[in-house]
Amino acid sequence: MNISFLGACGEVTGSCTLVEASGIKFLVDCGMFQGLNSYEKNLENFSFNPKEIDFVFLTHAHLDHSGRLPILYKEGFRGKVFSTKPTKDLAEIILKDSARIFEKDFKTPLFDFNDISNIMNSFETFDYYKKNQAGNIFFRALDAGHILGSSIFEFFIEGKKIVFSGDLGNDNAPIVRDTDLIDSADVVVVESTYGGKVHADRKEGVAELAKNIEEVIQKKSVLLIPSFSIERTQELLFEINNLIESKKVPFINVFLDSPLAIKATSIYRKYEDFFDKESITLINSGDDIFDFDGFKEAKDTKKVLDSSSPKIIMAGSGMCSGGRIPFYIKIYGKNKDNIILLNSYQAEGTMGRRIEAHEDIFINNKKVQIKAKVEKILSFSSHADSIKLKNWVSKANPSQVFINHGEKEESLALKRELNIKKVTLPVLAEKYLI
Ligand SMILES: [Zn+2]
């Protein structure tokens, strides 16, 4: 059996792995490249013939794992895409959001709504923990605890068990369940986004959040929270809901101005049976974990602007490089009493990275000087840290490991931690015999 890594080699985007075994060819993920020069990379032809691909197994909905699926269909793929139900629903809104951006910003869109509708018709959903068959191979999915519906895949092929981690979640996340452990494997493919880093405790992050809310209430100012639409927004709503309802912070108006996050939250509500105990206990006690006094889904940006301060405004994107948050930063970033609360890693080249470094930013080619206070919470990551990655791989005790989906130094750091002889950092498009 052969395995080739066609993305996410030495980087965290473009996840796509090809497996050729038992007379079939399948992909695990078919993600979009993001960041510098990514448009050109996404335009390049696949290094395989899409018509020959029998199946795609989608670990989760994030664009860097699902984003080239419509192109795959356009190029001739007619097989099935296997995923959980939440992954299917979330992938659809993420792909449509992406197509809307292409329509607005690009002369040659990578795909359109018709391509999305075609690939969505190719989906077949499964339940966690059940053994399923695809052609002549068997597979089983477990909960990766990364975002709602995220999967770890176990494949049973030619007498071997091959495991793909997908993106693994962080511990103690309030909505998704804890990551399932694998009890044995021959080969493990593991992500390494934070292969060399240890996350701060989540409780510290919640305390930071409360402190910033109290500060804007006291100053009658504005707290801007740039947030990713899927998972991060819902987790922040969960935490703010708890802080307000347990009266740890006083009443404050909270606006969510992100059409994608609003749609994603309604998908989260649809799949409460995927939530972990912490959330289910609250829901059973009668609480709506995504709603509280003062919370409004913004239908009209003008109303958000006109409402009096103090207030919290949450909007995408998490790295301030898209969505509606730049609009609010342009207005509220000039006032020293306001706070911009970054709550995720800010990649190089993003507006968030410049804000983090206290540099001027440019919105619609106009220089904006940030005078607002810039705060950071790093414990809300939805990725496993190096300790968790090491423990997770060690529990499976495989004879061979491939480390992908991480910048090179993160992958190397994880390699050094693992007490396993055969560990490979795959080279893009090289074929490995397993
Ligand atoms: Zn992800």
Side-chain angles (χ1 to χ4, degrees):
M1 160 177 30
N2 289 313
I3 185 165
S4 332
F5 295 81
L6 308 172
C9 290
E11 61 162 320
V12 295
T13 72
S15 256
C16 183
T17 309
L18 170 68
V19 179
E20 299 164 87
S22 300
I24 65 165
K25 292 184 184 181
F26 66 84
L27 299 178
V28 178
D29 294 335
C30 190
M32 197 178 272
F33 290 100
Q34 294 169 299
L36 289 174
N37 307 322
S38 54
Y39 178 73
E40 289 73 22
K41 267 161 104 178
N42 288 318
L43 269 185
E44 275 174 25
N45 285 336
F46 290 108
S47 60
F48 51 83
N49 182 354
K51 288 180 185 151
E52 291 175 3
I53 301 297
D54 298 286
F55 310 108
V56 179
F57 296 89
L58 183 59
T59 61
H60 65 288
H62 276 152
L63 202 62
D64 59 322
H65 293 256
S66 66
R68 280 186 295 164
L69 280 171
I71 309 173
L72 192 73
Y73 189 94
K74 221 161 69 166
E75 301 293 322
F77 167 73
R78 292 296 180 270
K80 281 179 188 165
V81 180
F82 289 99
S83 82
T84 60
K85 290 190 183 86
T87 295
K88 181 186 174 192
D89 287 6
L90 290 170
E92 184 168 7
I93 62 165
I94 287 176
L95 292 172
K96 284 183 176 167
D97 186 63
S98 200
R100 250 173 243 123
I101 295 168
F102 293 146
E103 265 185 354
K104 221 169 57 183
D105 298 346
F106 292 93
K107 271 192 201 128
T108 323
L110 291 171
F111 51 79
D112 60 23
F113 289 93
N114 193 35
D115 302 319
I116 297 172
S117 142
N118 284 333
I119 195 71
M120 291 321 298
N121 287 332
S122 315
F123 270 67
E124 186 164 317
T125 59
F126 55 75
D127 295 325
Y128 287 138
Y129 312 117
K130 278 189 192 144
K131 216 171 191 182
N132 302 284
Q133 191 166 3
N136 51 0
I137 61 160
F138 287 90
F139 72 96
R140 191 169 83 114
L142 293 97
D143 197 333
H146 168 59
I147 64 169
L148 202 72
S150 59
S151 298
I152 296 161
F153 281 110
E154 294 179 325
F155 294 101
F156 304 88
I157 312 168
E158 298 174 3
K160 282 186 176 169
K161 179 169 157 187
I162 326 292
V163 176
F164 283 77
S165 71
D167 285 0
L168 294 180
N170 195 358
D171 279 340
N172 305 321
I175 303 168
V176 289
R177 290 185 207 142
D178 290 345
T179 306
D180 282 320
L181 292 171
I182 304 294
D183 49 16
S184 71
D186 295 294
V187 180
V188 165
V189 177
V190 65
E191 64 119 334
S192 56
T193 313
Y194 292 104
K197 292 191 178 68
V198 178
H199 295 321
D201 191 81
R202 196 180 176 91
K203 280 186 199 142
E204 283 173 30
V206 176
E208 282 291 306
L209 177 65
K211 198 187 87 190
N212 284 292
I213 295 174
E214 276 160 7
E215 189 173 327
V216 293
I217 291 175
Q218 201 208 346
K219 290 183 176 166
K220 293 197 170 47
S221 59
V222 183
L223 177 60
L224 293 180
I225 310 185
S227 46
F228 293 113
S229 306
I230 319 281
E231 193 66 31
R232 185 60 45 84
T233 293
Q234 291 75 32
E235 286 190 10
L236 284 164
L237 288 177
F238 175 95
E239 301 295 2
I240 299 172
N241 171 74
N242 277 358
L243 289 172
I244 287 185
E245 291 187 349
S246 62
K247 306 215 179 326
K248 284 188 180 130
V249 298
F251 172 89
I252 181 166
N253 282 316
V254 180
F255 297 95
L256 173 61
D257 191 358
S258 161
L260 181 60
I262 292 168
K263 279 187 205 128
T265 306
S266 69
I267 292 174
Y268 269 64
R269 287 181 190 285
K270 190 172 153 192
Y271 294 109
E272 283 175 357
D273 50 330
F274 280 73
F275 290 2
D276 80 346
K277 270 193 239 120
E278 199 181 346
S279 295
I280 288 175
T281 310
L282 279 173
I283 292 165
N284 290 343
S285 73
D287 187 19
D288 182 336
I289 60 170
F290 301 129
D291 196 15
F292 44 87
D293 253 6
F295 174 66
K296 287 165 203 75
E297 290 179 345
K299 304 257 156 32
D300 181 351
T301 301
K302 196 174 172 300
K303 278 192 184 147
V304 182
L305 294 177
D306 289 348
S307 70
S308 58
S309 298
K311 60 189 168 190
I312 299 176
I313 304 169
M314 298 168 66
S317 74
M319 297 189 195
C320 313
S321 38
R324 295 188 180 173
I325 201 75
F327 169 77
Y328 289 110
I329 289 174
K330 197 170 128 192
I331 293 166
Y332 294 114
K334 294 173 192 160
N335 184 331
K336 68 173 177 37
D337 286 339
N338 297 334
I339 301 175
I340 302 171
L341 183 59
L342 303 172
N343 54 86
S344 66
Y345 168 73
Q346 305 294 315
E348 223 171 292
T350 60
M351 189 189 292
R353 182 75 159 244
R354 294 186 70 87
I355 293 172
E356 193 178 18
H358 301 281
E359 290 169 6
D360 291 338
I361 53 166
F362 294 87
I363 299 175
N364 302 333
N365 295 323
K366 279 202 181 124
K367 188 160 107 175
V368 179
Q369 199 184 3
I370 302 292
K371 292 194 176 140
K373 203 167 153 190
V374 179
E375 293 282 348
K376 242 170 43 178
I377 298 179
L378 288 178
S379 56
F380 287 165
S381 173
S382 55
H383 279 273
D385 67 5
S386 66
I387 300 171
K388 182 167 177 181
L389 289 170
K390 182 197 168 183
N391 292 339
W392 186 83
V393 175
S394 304
K395 177 79 172 66
N397 193 25
S399 47
Q400 187 172 10
V401 177
F402 290 94
I403 302 179
N404 70 342
H405 199 284
E407 287 172 14
K408 201 171 175 194
E409 60 199 62
E410 299 292 329
S411 305
L412 283 170
L414 180 61
K415 182 178 178 174
R416 281 193 296 271
E417 286 294 315
L418 294 177
N419 195 15
I420 290 163
K421 269 194 196 139
K422 224 171 158 186
V423 180
T424 309
L425 269 57
V427 175
L428 188 73
E430 203 152 299
K431 213 176 243 192
Y432 297 90
L433 186 71
I434 54 174

